[in-house]
Amino acid sequence: MKSDQVVARARKLSRPYRITQGSTFRLKDFNPDDTGEFTVEDKPRAVSALQSGVEALTKLQDVLYASDRWSVLLIFQAMDAAGKDSSIKHVMSGVNPQGCEVHSFKAPTSEELDHDFMWRCMTRLPQRGRIGIFNRSYYEEVLVVRVHEAILRSQKLPPALVTKRIFKDRCEDIRNIERYLARNGVAICKFYLHVSKKKQKERLLERIEKPEKNWKVSAADAGERAYWDGYMTAYEEAIQRTATGDAPWYVVPADHKWFTRLVVASAVVETIAALDLRYPEVDAAKRKELVRAKRALLGSP
């Protein structure tokens, strides 16, 4: 399949799940079990389409790196066991490691708590020409912190600043910062991997039952299920308030990992392709230099 066909295909696959400013969005309208135009029997065809997307992404990353003008920031948010790690692994499998960095954000350290809530993520933004991946991010501050407000009380904020509007204000701050980043050449693509509560339970049980997966699960993961409804409200409002044309969200069905990976790959391909990148052009002086270098090489032993 030609590259322009791959990009057109990627756009078709990812657009139904794209949320931007002004979109009418309700989380209940998105089915975690959705597989788009594919059926479960179509899985081999979807896997083949994913491979085409990975190959296209490999080429796009090469031009991104060479042009050294834009950087790309991919943000992954989800409930536990939704497939963030495996999506990153499979979608980025063909990417040059020199041009890509993954950062996983867990509970803030004491040093991080002595800064504003965006600080630890801002220090890890990708350089021009690179792809940066945030496995969880500053969005935790309007998700887990909203669900567990005891965390907020440990963040050393002046009491007068902890108001009823704090999470709405934080979403506004995030929206403004993402607009600033977009104006400075950072293409942002945000993914919420939308897994059902039933499928999450199956995957957590599998992690407990298979010794090689025990390291992936803790008692806290099961405990968080008691706050499921609170998390769904927090995700819905965060996405509503921060989805823009500069930094869209993709609400990706996550009950079938093969389809999740395909949608994520499609969105990344479309995002980078839209930058209309070109390899740097060589000026006349440089061309003469290359001609001299070629002659020297041809005349050498």
Side-chain angles (χ1 to χ4, degrees):
M1 188 180 291
K2 294 181 179 178
S3 58
D4 55 344
Q5 293 175 317
V6 173
V7 173
R9 178 73 167 156
R11 186 179 297 112
K12 180 181 178 182
L13 283 166
S14 63
R15 281 301 174 104
Y17 310 102
R18 188 173 190 261
I19 311 298
T20 59
Q21 193 169 12
S23 300
T24 301
F25 171 68
R26 291 291 182 273
L27 197 53
K28 66 180 182 181
D29 294 334
F30 288 78
N31 180 6
D33 194 49
D34 182 23
T35 54
E37 66 184 59
F38 299 89
T39 64
V40 175
E41 290 73 25
D42 288 328
K43 181 178 175 180
R45 185 164 63 91
V47 171
S48 176
L50 173 61
Q51 184 57 39
S52 296
V54 169
E55 292 170 2
L57 179 55
T58 301
K59 295 176 182 177
L60 287 166
Q61 186 218 7
D62 191 59
V63 188
L64 175 75
Y65 189 87
S67 63
D68 198 27
R69 289 292 183 269
W70 287 87
S71 61
V72 176
L73 176 61
L74 309 178
I75 295 175
F76 288 82
Q77 293 287 159
M79 298 294 285
D80 291 318
K84 296 189 307 301
D85 292 345
S86 66
S87 292
I88 294 168
K89 175 182 176 181
H90 284 80
V91 172
M92 309 307 288
S93 61
V95 168
N96 185 338
Q98 292 185 92
C100 180
E101 287 187 274
V102 180
H103 299 283
S104 296
F105 295 96
K106 301 185 184 300
T109 64
S110 57
E111 179 188 17
E112 290 166 348
L113 287 172
D114 276 332
H115 291 82
D116 62 273
F117 79 87
M118 296 285 289
W119 178 79
R120 64 175 182 162
C121 294
M122 294 300 97
T123 62
R124 292 167 174 81
L125 289 171
Q127 296 173 273
R128 298 192 192 282
R130 270 73 168 181
I131 298 173
I133 300 173
F134 287 177
N135 187 343
R136 303 194 187 277
S137 67
Y138 44 81
Y139 278 98
E140 293 293 284
E141 298 297 327
V142 295
L143 297 168
V144 66
V145 177
R146 174 175 171 169
V147 173
H148 298 284
E149 292 198 23
I151 298 174
L152 185 63
R153 294 193 288 273
S154 72
Q155 293 188 336
K156 304 182 182 181
L157 285 168
L161 300 181
V162 184
T163 70
K164 292 181 179 179
R165 286 183 48 88
I166 188 166
F167 299 112
K168 185 179 290 187
D169 289 342
R170 282 186 171 184
C171 283
E172 182 181 347
D173 293 335
I174 289 171
R175 196 166 60 245
N176 290 337
I177 287 175
E178 289 178 344
R179 177 58 176 152
Y180 164 80
L181 293 176
R183 286 173 170 165
N184 283 273
V186 182
I188 304 171
C189 196
K190 303 176 293 191
F191 299 99
Y192 168 56
L193 305 191
H194 187 26
V195 69
S196 67
K197 194 174 183 180
K198 178 182 177 182
K199 179 59 68 172
Q200 187 205 45
K201 179 180 178 179
E202 290 176 11
R203 291 177 182 171
L204 290 176
L205 286 171
E206 181 185 23
R207 290 179 178 184
I208 292 171
E209 291 164 1
K210 292 187 176 181
E212 68 273 19
K213 293 189 176 184
N214 286 174
W215 64 274
K216 288 186 173 185
V217 67
S218 69
D221 295 335
E224 284 296 276
R225 287 169 55 79
Y227 303 94
W228 186 274
D229 291 345
Y231 274 111
M232 294 303 102
T233 298
Y235 270 110
E236 182 174 273
E237 293 189 11
I239 293 168
Q240 284 175 342
R241 291 169 177 165
T242 61
T244 67
D246 296 312
W249 275 100
Y250 290 84
V251 178
V252 185
D255 278 10
H256 301 277
K257 289 186 178 182
W258 55 269
F259 187 67
T260 305
R261 296 162 187 165
L262 178 57
V263 174
V264 170
S266 298
V268 178
V269 166
E270 182 191 1
T271 297
I272 302 179
L275 302 178
D276 196 26
L277 301 169
R278 297 284 187 277
Y279 284 106
E281 293 187 6
V282 177
D283 59 22
K286 181 69 174 180
R287 283 195 293 272
K288 289 181 180 179
E289 178 186 327
L290 293 176
V291 169
R292 290 195 297 270
K294 181 178 179 180
R295 287 173 180 166
L297 287 168
L298 290 173
S300 65

